[in-house]
């Protein structure tokens, strides 16, 4: 039976993900920043909330926990973070949890925040997937609010070590603005031009551009391409000094994007 994953848009540009095993009512929600759209989705699909997964402490990912656990006494899985008192099951690198008949394992991916984790799974007979919150986005990465460029680099390396076919369920629809920046950094990247055209079409039709895949991100995401000469050159030109270390390249590109 396939794992069914519903896309729940919330706020301006958040995606909350709700998953369940086909034919089963027990459903799990990832990063419920808001409770009402989750309750609506459960009702619409006749599902029952069985657990909550949290990637990091920001309110647009945690704001709905309180209301959801008030009406459903369910476990809350998340990082060991003083900022999220509602977590009932604190998770660390390499921990495994079985949800919706699917084995999820935990990656610690600090950078955007220090408490950031991701949940990866390889559902039977399907391509792998990862819920990666605000660390890796389609054509971008999260802002460095708490961690260093080096931590973000190592975290992206960790995600990048997943299989090419991995579906990337990130928590925001930032794709078009990320692509606008990426095409300035890498103007001659053909794959980037193709993705931009395809994703513009999706957004015009009101469709999400997420999930993306790791294979696509390797070709188009500047933050996964910091080891390449083209990126080192762009970062060097922007900072007016010679950068070759991929961590320094990432730091420069992230700073550049912050003010883009
Ligand atoms: Zn965040
Ligand atoms: Fe967020």
């Amino acid at each position: 039976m396939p794992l069914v994953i519903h896309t729940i848009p919330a706020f301006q540009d958040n995606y909350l993900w709700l998953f369940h095993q086909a034919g089963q009512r027990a459903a799990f929600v990832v990063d419920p920043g808001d409770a009402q759209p989750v309750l609506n989705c459960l009702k619409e699909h006749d599902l029952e909330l069985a657990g909550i997964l949290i990637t990091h402490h920001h309110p647009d990912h945690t704001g709905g926990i309180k209301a959801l656990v008030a009406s459903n006494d369910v476990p809350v899985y998340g990082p060991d973070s003083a900022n999220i008192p509602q977590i009932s099951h604190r998770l660390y690198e390499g921990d495994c949890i079985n949800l919706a008949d699917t084995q999820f394992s935990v990656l610690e991916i600090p950078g955007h925040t220090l408490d950031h984790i991701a949940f990866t799974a390889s559902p039977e007979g399907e391509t792998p997937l990862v819920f990666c919150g605000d660390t890796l986005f389609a054509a971008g990465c999260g802002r460095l609010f708490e961690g260093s460029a080096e931590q973000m680099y190592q975290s992206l390396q960790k995600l990048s070590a997943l299989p090419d076919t991995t579906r990337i369920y990130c928590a925001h629809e930032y794709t078009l603005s990320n692509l606008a920046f990426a095409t300035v950094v890498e103007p001659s990247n053909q794959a980037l031009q193709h993705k931009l055209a395809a994703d513009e079409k999706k957004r015009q039709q009101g469709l999400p551009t997420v999930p993306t895949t790791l294979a696509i991100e390797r070709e188009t995401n500047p933050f996964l391409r910091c080891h390449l000469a083209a990126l080192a050159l762009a970062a060097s030109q922007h900072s007016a000094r010679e950068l070759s270390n991929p961590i320094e390249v990432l730091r420069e590109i992230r700073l550049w994007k912050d003010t883009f």
Side-chain angles (χ1 to χ4, degrees), residues 47-122:
L47 300 169
E48 203 169 300
L49 190 66
I52 298 172
L53 288 72
I54 301 295
T55 63
H56 68 292
H57 71 81
H58 284 155
D60 61 314
H61 301 252
T62 57
I65 301 176
K66 214 174 156 190
L68 289 174
V69 295
S71 51
N72 310 263
D73 186 19
V74 298
V76 183
Y77 303 92
D80 188 356
S81 168
N83 296 307
I84 324 170
Q86 303 96 335
I87 302 279
S88 61
H89 293 66
R90 299 191 181 273
L91 301 172
Y92 303 89
E93 176 81 23
D95 280 354
C96 289
I97 45 173
N98 204 295
L99 309 171
D101 291 349
T102 305
Q103 178 100 326
F104 285 84
S105 50
V106 173
L107 299 175
E108 291 181 357
I109 49 169
H112 175 66
T113 63
L114 292 176
D115 63 2
H116 208 305
I117 61 171
F119 299 88
T120 70
S122 296

Side-chain angles (χ1 to χ4, degrees), residues 200-237:
E200 274 175 345
K201 200 170 280 174
K202 280 186 194 164
R203 294 309 292 152
Q204 279 161 10
Q205 297 167 347
L207 299 172
T209 62
V210 182
T212 174
T213 68
L214 202 50
I216 292 170
E217 293 312 302
R218 276 193 230 288
E219 300 268 290
T220 55
N221 191 321
F223 298 95
L224 293 184
R225 296 168 61 77
C226 294
H227 57 289
L228 297 174
L231 277 290
L233 181 65
S236 299
Q237 283 172 348

Side-chain angles (χ1 to χ4, degrees), residues 183-255:
T183 52
V184 168
V185 177
E186 259 194 294
S188 55
N189 181 336
Q190 288 298 316
L192 207 41
Q193 300 298 338
H194 288 135
K195 182 162 172 62
L196 180 59
D199 285 348
E200 274 175 345
K201 200 170 280 174
K202 280 186 194 164
R203 294 309 292 152
Q204 279 161 10
Q205 297 167 347
L207 299 172
T209 62
V210 182
T212 174
T213 68
L214 202 50
I216 292 170
E217 293 312 302
R218 276 193 230 288
E219 300 268 290
T220 55
N221 191 321
F223 298 95
L224 293 184
R225 296 168 61 77
C226 294
H227 57 289
L228 297 174
L231 277 290
L233 181 65
S236 299
Q237 283 172 348
H238 186 258
S239 71
R241 61 203 169 94
E242 181 77 31
L243 300 174
S244 56
N245 179 322
I247 296 169
E248 284 177 33
V249 172
L250 186 145
R251 180 182 292 117
E252 183 60 31
I253 292 175
R254 186 57 264 183
L255 282 171

